[in-house]
Amino acid sequence: MKLLIAFSLLIVLIVFQEQISCFSLSKPASPGYYQDGDFVIGGIFSLRVTAGDTRSRFGFKDTIYIPEYVYVDLTKHYQHILAMVFAIEKINKDTNILFNMSLGFYLFNVDFIDMKAVESSMALLSGQSPPVPNYSCRPEKTDKLVAVIGGISTGISTQISRVLSLYNVPQISYAPFDQSLGTGVQLQSPYQFPVHTTALYQGIIQLLLYFSWVWVGLVVPDDVRGELFLRDITEEMNNHGLCVAFAEKVPEFPAKDTVNRELFMERFTLTRVIVAFGDTYSLLRFVYNIFCNTPFGNVWVTTSDWDITTLPFQQNLGYTYFGGGLSFSVHTDEILGFKDFLRSVQPRKYPQDIFIQDVWSNLFECPYLDQHWIRELSQCEQNGNLSTRPLHLWDMNTSPSSYKIHAAVYAVAQALHEELSLIVEGDLLNKGIPRAPLPGKLHPFLQNGQLGRSTNEETVVNKEVSATKLDIFNYQSLQSGTKAQVKVGEFVFESHSVQHFSLNDELITWGEHHSQTPFAVCSQSCTLGFRKSPVEGKPFCCFDCLPCPDGEIANETDMDQCIKCPEDQYPNKQRNQCLPKITAFLSCEDPLGAVFISLAISFSAFSAMILGLFICYRDTPIVRANNRNLSYLLLVSLMLCFFCSLIFIGQPRTVTCVLRQTIFGVVFSVAVSTILAKTFIVVVAFKAIKPGSTLQTWMVTRVSNAIVFCGSIIQVCICTVWLGTYPPFPDVDVQSEFGQIILWCNEGSTLAFYCVLGYLGFLASLSLLIAFLARSLPNSFNEAKTITFSMLVFCSVWISFVPAYLSSKGKTVVAVEILAILASSAGLLGCIFLPKCFVILLRSDDLPKKKFFK
């Protein structure tokens, strides 16, 4: 009996505690806006950014109420509430949708505070604010709840879902699409309106490519969604040759500001174009930092989730901080009648709307004191039309979030219609007014619509979007002084290979800082004739411009590598074009060739004159001395040496190339061998032969002739081997002279060529040595000194020839060899025969009467 009494008392205490919980906590810490109906849709919105109030959030501890500090009033977000009210009013006017039943709503403002979102979610379930967990204090409200629309961000939506998923209540989030939303919830995740994020990325990339903006800064919220965007857009930018100048991660407002001011200023001063991804709240800290600094004059590329027209902080309203910005917005059709509805909104029309008081006060600057506010309303009635408000406070165009909320209400209404249709088919309406269906029964109908939801593995989209159309808006100041978002283009994305981008440049204005399209580059473009050179430690968009090396051109801007001209072409001075080369060789028309021809003919004629002089004075002792026949041979060979230089002038051909070196080698070997024989005669004449010995004179003559023959025949053999193995041939040189193709004779065998020169050097050195030894002999008719001097000149010329020949290019090679031939031949002619000519012509009376050889 005692046990039964104790159990009864426990039941009474529990019931009493429930009543205490429901009615003793009726103090409205976070009141909602309620309108009754047969079915109720909950709405959770965010109209302000406040400091928050974590004291006694669930009413377990009695505290003194302290008003929250309001950082920002987002008056434009009131359109979200009006979109829901407008949709519900339209549905209620159409009796066919809900079978003569009505929709109601229960709306809360949670101010971007997670704890308020949890509290409001529980208030929707319990019918009481502040809520009582697991209690239904007002069944007339809670039993009618069929779905909840909210919240505005991923964080708020997640907190709502943690509560509603426990009770299987459908939740439709109007936050920007987030693949990770709800993946941490164990039960039901929120429904979302799926957006083709790839289309957004491609639209931004196409816009950057259209204006050639390759050096771009990125601004993202410091959360998972920002990290995903940063990863994906960076990859896309790199694939299209675009560079990320910096990536700024924005902490949540009003968290402690950890921004490095100097770095912040440097980044946004040096980078002209900024791509910002996020929503109005997640980028609030960033906007605050922008307003706290001198305007940088950046061009902003963003999405409609961040309303750049909103000015949340006090600032100079005459300056458009984000003027000229370009924003992408998913294309939506205008909601019919919504603008007219907005124009009709007045506080007196909705006296139960607890949110319109704050909004109207901020929009029209109307002071009020709580319950006496209506009395002060007359001050604002004359301008009490939302269409008169400036863009930074109110926008008459339907925002993307309002469009989602409107669509969400109709999605819930359609699901109710489907559920009620099943009830009608079951003929259950005749049994009385039906109660609202359990919220969980709407899931199958919602899942068949255009909504999507996330799981821990993937995002499920019920209806695949075949094509995504994005509108491009430009934020600009009109001539009337008002500001507006003007549509300037669109981007249609079906796949990576099928996409259409269009933009009207003439409609775009770039704000106060730019009168024309701004540049966004790390380095200025490399002009024609220059190539890009990467800068160590910087992205590939940063580079130096280096001129193309010799023989290469750059015929386009920003070339990574210069290209070589074909062998028959050469680059112009600007190195941006290849020009056809002209063929060049040492010709008769060439001034240098004409000079050489003149010299060769002159020296040959001079040699012929000396030969004629010697023939005329052939019986004089000075001519007869040292074998006049050798003198004749030497003069003839020198004449041929002068003439052989003419073969080097003119266009090289196979015959001339073969004759050049062979004639040169043989003729010079004859000349030098003759000098060697004359030197031998001098030595023998003074050392070994007695005067008047005819036999010995005959033997000396024979030996000298043998010396000339042997010395020449050896050179002939060398040339024969040369011609038989690897003879000279005509060739072209496209590298030596800029802009010219040099026609020249390739020596064929370089070894054979230097063997010819080496053999001439050997003969000359031998003659020099013998003549040097005979320098002390009697002076009368002694040619030893003149031969010594001539051999010194000869050897000096050809020793100098070798380095000059090796270091020369083009026509200069031929000129050097001709010059060496003429100089050495002239040296021999002058040193050996000029003294004799002087004696013959000017001092013939002084000639001795004694004869050396008969």
Side-chain angles (χ1 to χ4, degrees), residues 223-242:
D223 55 22
V224 176
R225 187 164 173 258
E227 289 288 345
L228 292 176
F229 174 82
L230 195 61
R231 181 197 65 188
D232 295 340
I233 198 67
T234 301
E235 180 179 355
E236 287 293 334
M237 290 177 65
N238 290 334
N239 293 339
H240 289 83
L242 308 176

Side-chain angles (χ1 to χ4, degrees), residues 400-460:
S401 295
S402 297
Y403 188 88
K404 291 180 184 179
I405 293 169
H406 182 273
V409 173
Y410 269 86
V412 174
Q414 183 62 31
L416 284 172
H417 175 82
E418 299 291 339
E419 175 65 16
L420 292 176
S421 297
L422 296 178
I423 297 176
V424 171
E425 292 177 1
D427 197 22
L428 298 178
L429 287 177
N430 295 330
K431 297 181 181 180
I433 299 176
R435 297 181 61 188
L438 293 176
K441 292 186 177 181
L442 299 184
H443 282 296
F445 306 108
L446 293 174
Q447 292 172 358
N448 291 331
Q450 296 184 355
L451 300 175
R453 67 196 316 180
S454 300
T455 64
N456 289 326
E457 292 81 18
E458 60 183 353
T459 300
V460 180

Side-chain angles (χ1 to χ4, degrees), residues 717-732:
C717 294
I718 295 175
C719 291
T720 303
V721 174
W722 183 6
L723 297 179
T725 55
Y726 197 4
F729 58 91
D731 200 358
V732 292

Side-chain angles (χ1 to χ4, degrees), residues 473-771:
F473 292 92
N474 177 227
Y475 182 32
Q476 54 186 247
S477 298
L478 304 180
Q479 293 181 352
S480 60
T482 60
K483 297 176 175 61
Q485 287 272 54
V486 179
K487 182 179 177 180
V488 294
E490 63 182 25
F491 175 69
V492 179
F493 179 84
E494 295 184 21
S495 64
H496 285 279
S497 59
V498 181
Q499 46 188 285
H500 174 71
F501 180 87
S502 62
L503 198 68
N504 190 343
D505 296 15
E506 297 179 355
L507 295 178
I508 299 177
T509 62
W510 300 107
E512 288 84 347
H513 288 270
H514 307 285
S515 58
Q516 58 184 3
T517 304
F519 295 97
V521 294
C522 178
S523 302
Q524 294 297 325
S525 295
C526 292
T527 57
L528 302 182
F530 290 82
R531 67 175 179 86
K532 296 193 296 186
S533 176
V535 178
E536 186 177 357
K538 291 188 177 182
F540 60 86
C541 292
C542 300
F543 48 82
D544 295 327
C545 294
L546 301 179
C548 290
D550 294 339
E552 299 183 2
I553 65 167
N555 54 6
E556 296 179 3
T557 57
D558 291 335
M559 291 188 65
D560 294 322
Q561 295 293 335
C562 298
I563 56 177
K564 288 186 176 181
C565 288
E567 289 190 350
D568 60 343
Q569 296 181 3
Y570 71 98
N572 57 0
K573 292 183 178 180
Q574 293 77 22
R575 299 185 181 181
N576 57 10
Q577 184 182 5
C578 289
L579 302 177
K581 290 183 177 180
I582 59 174
T583 57
F585 54 88
L586 190 61
S587 64
C588 301
E589 293 79 9
D590 193 291
L592 186 60
V595 171
F596 284 148
I597 292 175
S598 301
L599 290 176
I601 295 176
S602 299
F603 283 128
S604 298
F606 189 62
S607 300
M609 291 172 60
I610 296 176
L611 178 60
L613 182 65
F614 269 49
I615 293 175
C616 291
Y617 291 89
R618 60 183 177 277
D619 294 326
T620 60
I622 195 169
V623 174
R624 295 176 62 195
N626 291 355
N627 196 331
R628 61 185 173 192
N629 293 330
L630 291 180
S631 296
Y632 296 157
L633 180 61
L634 179 58
L635 285 170
V636 172
S637 63
L638 288 176
M639 282 180 14
L640 294 176
C641 288
F642 289 127
F643 275 123
C644 81
S645 64
L646 299 178
I647 307 178
F648 289 81
I649 300 174
Q651 182 175 350
R653 303 183 186 279
T654 304
V655 175
T656 57
C657 288
V658 171
L659 293 178
R660 280 182 181 182
Q661 305 299 345
T662 53
I663 292 179
F664 156 73
V666 172
V667 171
F668 261 85
S669 63
V670 171
V672 177
S673 298
T674 302
I675 294 173
L676 178 61
K678 289 173 72 67
T679 308
F680 174 76
I681 291 175
V682 171
V683 174
V684 172
F686 284 97
K687 295 288 185 181
I689 300 177
K690 296 179 180 179
S693 176
T694 306
L695 178 61
Q696 291 182 347
T697 301
W698 178 84
M699 291 180 60
V700 170
T701 303
R702 292 291 183 181
V703 172
S704 62
N705 293 336
I707 292 174
V708 173
F709 178 78
C710 293
S712 302
I713 201 67
I714 293 175
Q715 187 72 288
V716 171
C717 294
I718 295 175
C719 291
T720 303
V721 174
W722 183 6
L723 297 179
T725 55
Y726 197 4
F729 58 91
D731 200 358
V732 292
D733 180 8
V734 296
Q735 303 294 335
S736 299
E737 294 290 341
F738 180 76
Q740 294 182 345
I741 300 177
I742 304 299
L743 303 181
W744 67 297
C745 285
N746 192 315
E747 310 301 345
S749 175
T750 306
L751 177 62
F753 174 69
Y754 284 108
C755 285
V756 170
L757 293 182
Y759 180 69
L760 291 176
F762 168 74
L763 293 178
S765 301
L766 189 59
S767 299
L768 176 63
L769 177 61
I770 296 175

Side-chain angles (χ1 to χ4, degrees), residues 280-293:
T280 303
Y281 174 70
S282 63
L283 297 178
L284 202 58
R285 167 61 66 184
F286 172 71
V287 175
Y288 177 78
N289 289 331
I290 292 292
F291 288 162
C292 289
N293 293 280

Side-chain angles (χ1 to χ4, degrees), residues 762-802:
F762 168 74
L763 293 178
S765 301
L766 189 59
S767 299
L768 176 63
L769 177 61
I770 296 175
F772 180 77
L773 295 176
R775 71 188 186 282
S776 59
L777 296 177
N779 291 332
S780 297
F781 312 115
N782 183 9
E783 291 183 314
K785 292 183 178 180
T786 58
I787 291 174
T788 302
F789 188 70
S790 65
M791 286 295 100
L792 284 174
V793 173
F794 184 87
C795 292
S796 299
V797 169
W798 287 103
I799 290 174
S800 302
F801 163 78
V802 174

Side-chain angles (χ1 to χ4, degrees), residues 219-227 248-252 258 277 282-283:
V219 176
V220 297
D222 191 9
D223 55 22
V224 176
R225 187 164 173 258
E227 289 288 345
E248 182 82 12
K249 295 183 179 180
V250 183
E252 184 178 350
T258 58
F277 177 80
S282 63
L283 297 178

Side-chain angles (χ1 to χ4, degrees), residues 159-205:
Q159 298 304 324
I160 298 172
S161 179
R162 294 185 186 278
V163 177
L164 298 183
S165 62
L166 298 174
Y167 298 90
N168 203 22
V169 176
Q171 175 196 354
I172 303 176
S173 171
Y174 64 94
F177 182 75
D178 189 351
Q179 295 181 355
S180 64
L181 178 59
T183 54
V185 180
Q186 297 299 321
L187 300 176
Q188 298 289 344
S189 60
Y191 293 97
Q192 299 183 78
F193 291 91
V195 176
H196 205 321
T197 54
T198 304
L200 175 61
Y201 299 153
Q202 291 300 320
I204 293 175
I205 295 298

